[in-house]
Amino acid sequence: MSQEQSYTIEEVAQLLKVSKLTIYDLVKKGDLPVFRVGRQMRVDRADLQTYIQKRKTGSMPAVAQASIATPTKNHAKIIVSGQDLVLDILAKYIEKRRSTKVLRSHEGSFNGVMALYHGDCDIASLHMFDGDTGDYNTPYVKKIFVSHAFILINVVSRKAGFYVQKGNPLEIRTFEDFQTKTFTFINREKGSGARTLLDEQLRIHGIAPSTIAGYTHEEMSHLDVASAVANGRADVGIGIEKIAKLIQVDFIPMVTERYDIVLLKTPENQMLIDMVKEILNTPDFQSEVAALGDYDISLMGQVMYETL
C-alpha cells in the first residue's frame, strides 16, 4: 500500500475540519485504525471512508462524541503529548511494560496541557517559565487544574536560549539585546514553552513585542526555528540546546529549564502513574537519556508537585 492511498493525522484533521487532538482521541479509542511508517502514524484511505460511512446515519456524529471524552476513561491506547525525544523513549518503555500502544502528539506545552484537561491525552509535557516566581510549570498547572487532582513529575532539565548564525556575528548575549540591537527574529507559536519563556522575559525587561522585527513570524518546533536561522530567514530564534547540535547554528544559553510531565490522578490512572514513576527512576532509562547528551537527569523522576 503506497502512502498516496493513506493520510497523515494532520491531513485527516483537515479533511474532517477538526483538531488533530480530536483525531488522536478517535485513534486512542480504536474508532479510527492507523498504521505506522517509521515514527509517523497514517490512516488508510479505505478506513477513513469506512469511518465516515458508518457515521452518516448515526444519531450523534463521532467527532462530537470525541469532543466530550473524559479524563478518567480507561483507553486501550495511551497518548503522550510533547516534542522532546525523551518522550519517545518514555513511550517505548511504557509499551514494553503495559503491552499497550503509545501514540505521540507533538503539541506545544500549553496545548498539550489543555488536551490533558479535556481528556484528549494521558501524559502532557511542559516547560513553561513563570516570570513572577522564577519557577517552571508548577504555577501554571496549579491554576489550570484547580478543580482536578494531578501529579507533576520531572523528566529532565535542559538549556534554553538563542539560536544565532555561526560565529554569532551580531554578538547576541542577553535578552537586553532586544532593546539595543537590530536583527530579525523567528518565534515559536503561542502556548509553546519557548514562546512563554520569551514573552515572560520581554515582560520582565519591559520590552514591547511590537518593537521586535519578526516577532509575529512563528514556527511550530525547535527544529523549524533553528533551520530558519541556519538558512538566513532570521538572525535569532529561541529554542533548546539539543537542536543546535543538529543544525548549523550556534547556541547562546539563557536559562536551565525544567521539563516536566503532568498526569491526572484518578483511580483508572493510578497504574499508569506508578509505572511512569518507576520507569523514570530506573537506571536503564536514565542511562539511555543521559547517553543522548545535553540533558541533566539529576531531578528525573522526582515529584515536583502533587495534589492531595
Side-chain angles (χ1 to χ4, degrees):
M1 177 172 51
S2 70
Q3 293 189 23
E4 294 178 356
Q5 295 177 296
S6 63
Y7 304 102
T8 65
I9 295 298
E10 183 175 5
E11 288 169 340
V12 174
Q14 291 172 350
L15 287 169
L16 298 184
K17 300 187 186 310
V18 297
S19 72
K20 288 191 296 182
L21 289 173
T22 297
I23 303 304
Y24 279 121
D25 187 69
L26 295 177
V27 172
K28 180 168 65 172
K29 294 193 299 182
D31 291 340
L32 188 61
V34 297
F35 65 96
R36 287 182 178 271
V37 178
R39 292 170 55 190
Q40 185 185 71
M41 286 189 295
R42 299 189 70 89
V43 178
D44 182 29
R45 182 171 59 185
D47 288 333
L48 179 59
Q49 291 173 342
T50 299
Y51 169 81
I52 294 172
Q53 187 64 36
K54 284 182 177 179
R55 281 148 183 84
K56 278 187 176 179
T57 58
S59 60
M60 182 179 182
V63 168
Q65 293 177 8
S67 67
I68 58 174
T70 60
T72 58
K73 188 171 182 178
N74 186 19
H75 297 295
K77 298 180 178 69
I78 296 170
I79 291 181
V80 179
S81 176
Q83 297 184 356
D84 200 284
L85 176 62
V86 174
L87 299 178
D88 295 328
I89 300 175
L90 176 61
K92 178 183 69 174
Y93 275 74
I94 293 174
E95 286 185 337
K96 286 181 179 179
R97 282 167 168 73
R98 191 158 170 169
S99 299
T100 294
K101 180 62 66 178
V102 179
L103 306 178
R104 294 280 286 108
S105 170
H106 295 83
E107 296 288 344
S109 293
F110 184 77
N111 287 340
V113 169
M114 292 310 298
L116 180 66
Y117 181 89
H118 290 296
D120 292 328
C121 74
D122 302 282
I123 301 173
S125 66
L126 67 161
H127 55 111
M128 300 179 71
F129 174 73
D130 177 61
D132 292 328
T133 63
D135 195 10
Y136 263 87
N137 304 329
T138 307
Y140 291 95
V141 293
K142 288 172 71 173
K143 292 177 181 178
I144 293 172
F145 296 110
V146 65
S147 300
H148 295 281
F150 68 90
I151 183 169
L152 184 70
I153 309 171
N154 178 254
V155 180
V156 293
S157 297
R158 60 189 192 182
K159 297 290 185 182
F162 299 133
Y163 300 131
V164 298
Q165 293 175 7
K166 280 293 185 179
N168 192 12
L170 298 178
E171 297 185 345
I172 303 299
R173 301 296 179 193
T174 68
F175 285 101
E176 285 86 350
D177 289 332
F178 282 83
Q179 292 176 305
T180 60
K181 297 184 179 181
T182 301
F183 53 79
T184 301
F185 189 70
I186 187 75
N187 214 343
R188 280 293 305 279
E189 80 280 8
K190 299 177 184 68
S192 66
R195 177 63 169 266
T196 302
L197 171 62
L198 173 70
D199 287 346
E200 285 291 88
Q201 290 290 346
L202 294 181
R203 179 176 67 84
I204 291 170
H205 290 91
I207 302 170
S210 59
T211 65
I212 302 172
Y215 175 85
T216 58
H217 296 165
E218 300 178 352
E219 294 290 352
M220 298 297 290
S221 72
H222 298 297
L223 185 63
D224 290 335
V225 171
S227 296
V229 174
N231 64 32
R233 289 199 294 119
D235 301 308
V236 183
I238 191 164
I240 62 171
E241 181 179 19
K242 186 68 178 175
I243 298 300
K245 303 293 180 67
L246 307 177
I247 305 293
Q248 291 299 308
V249 294
D250 282 352
F251 179 75
I252 311 300
M254 291 289 110
V255 299
T256 298
E257 62 178 18
R258 217 179 69 214
Y259 192 75
D260 299 334
I261 54 174
V262 58
L263 299 89
L264 295 180
K265 289 178 61 177
T266 65
E268 295 83 357
N269 256 5
Q270 191 57 53
M271 183 180 297
L272 177 60
I273 291 171
D274 292 342
M275 182 191 308
V276 168
K277 290 167 69 176
E278 177 190 352
I279 290 170
L280 293 175
N281 284 286
T282 58
D284 286 349
F285 181 84
Q286 294 187 358
S287 296
E288 189 166 347
V289 172
L292 297 174
D294 304 313
Y295 291 114
D296 178 355
I297 64 170
S298 60
L299 296 177
M300 180 181 284
Q302 290 192 29
V303 175
M304 310 312 298
Y305 186 84
E306 181 177 8
T307 57
L308 300 176

